[in-house]
Amino acid sequence: MHARPLPFLALLLLCALPIGPEIRADASVPAAAPPHTTIAATWVWPIDGARSVANPFRAPAHEYGSGHRGIDIATSQGRAVRAPADGIVAFRGTVVDRPLLTIEHAGGYVSTFEPLTSDLSPGDVVSAGETIGTVASGGHAESGTLHLGVRLGGDYINPMTLFGEVPRAVLLPCCDPL
């Protein structure tokens, strides 16, 4: 009888262990929905009136690339802004030259509004539809717009996915025929 070396047995044991998630063949188990499909039904548009986006979300090619990490909503200075969902005020203050307000929501969502003046303070609880402040001036957004950025788990996402309004992509011809 030959003695097997210890490293060979350790390698054999490692190969026998599962190395990925358990895959179930049970078709009755529903697939998990994307994280913002269940939350989206509870988000309300933050400005009364028609929904008009002056500058859409443009995802950057990489973490530090150029893009537009939110949407600019067409509105007017002094207009009331409502909380899109229940949450807790995380920050209110001026960053560089713009007043802003940040709200933490259920599910790991964080919304930021700028320029926005508000009397709320960090720790204040807000409800969906509640007035959180008024459109101000300053910042990178064009005059007459309100910037809304949303992060999920630290990454910026297209806020329009939470309002059920993602425009359908349309492919256009790019070149002259050969």
Side-chain angles (χ1 to χ4, degrees), residues 20-66:
E22 179 183 357
I23 299 174
R24 299 180 62 158
D26 185 358
S28 66
V29 177
H36 35 296
T37 57
T38 55
I39 302 290
T42 63
W43 281 52
V44 295
W45 193 248
I47 301 290
D48 286 335
R51 295 183 183 191
S52 178
V53 175
N55 195 1
F57 177 86
R58 287 185 306 283
H62 54 83
E63 186 177 4
Y64 301 105
S66 64

Side-chain angles (χ1 to χ4, degrees), residues 58-103:
R58 287 185 306 283
H62 54 83
E63 186 177 4
Y64 301 105
S66 64
H68 189 234
R69 293 164 175 84
I71 59 173
D72 293 345
I73 300 169
T75 186
S76 58
Q77 192 170 339
R79 220 52 210 271
V81 178
R82 299 180 297 150
D86 295 348
I88 299 172
V89 174
F91 176 82
R92 183 202 62 168
T94 301
V95 175
V96 184
D97 63 345
R98 55 187 165 253
L100 59 92
L101 181 79
T102 299
I103 303 171

Side-chain angles (χ1 to χ4, degrees), residues 75-173:
T75 186
S76 58
Q77 192 170 339
R79 220 52 210 271
V81 178
R82 299 180 297 150
D86 295 348
I88 299 172
V89 174
F91 176 82
R92 183 202 62 168
T94 301
V95 175
V96 184
D97 63 345
R98 55 187 165 253
L100 59 92
L101 181 79
T102 299
I103 303 171
E104 293 179 348
H105 306 280
Y109 292 88
V110 177
S111 61
T112 299
F113 299 86
E114 62 173 90
L116 180 101
T117 55
S118 176
D119 293 330
L120 296 173
S121 298
D124 287 350
V125 175
V126 296
S127 299
E130 178 183 337
T131 299
I132 57 173
T134 57
V135 178
S137 63
H140 82 280
E142 289 184 33
S143 180
T145 65
L146 173 72
H147 178 81
L148 167 60
V150 177
R151 289 176 286 144
L152 175 59
D155 296 322
Y156 283 93
I157 64 169
N158 184 348
M160 294 303 285
T161 61
L162 300 171
F163 301 109
E165 298 233 356
V166 176
R168 183 174 179 201
V170 177
L171 298 177
L172 300 173

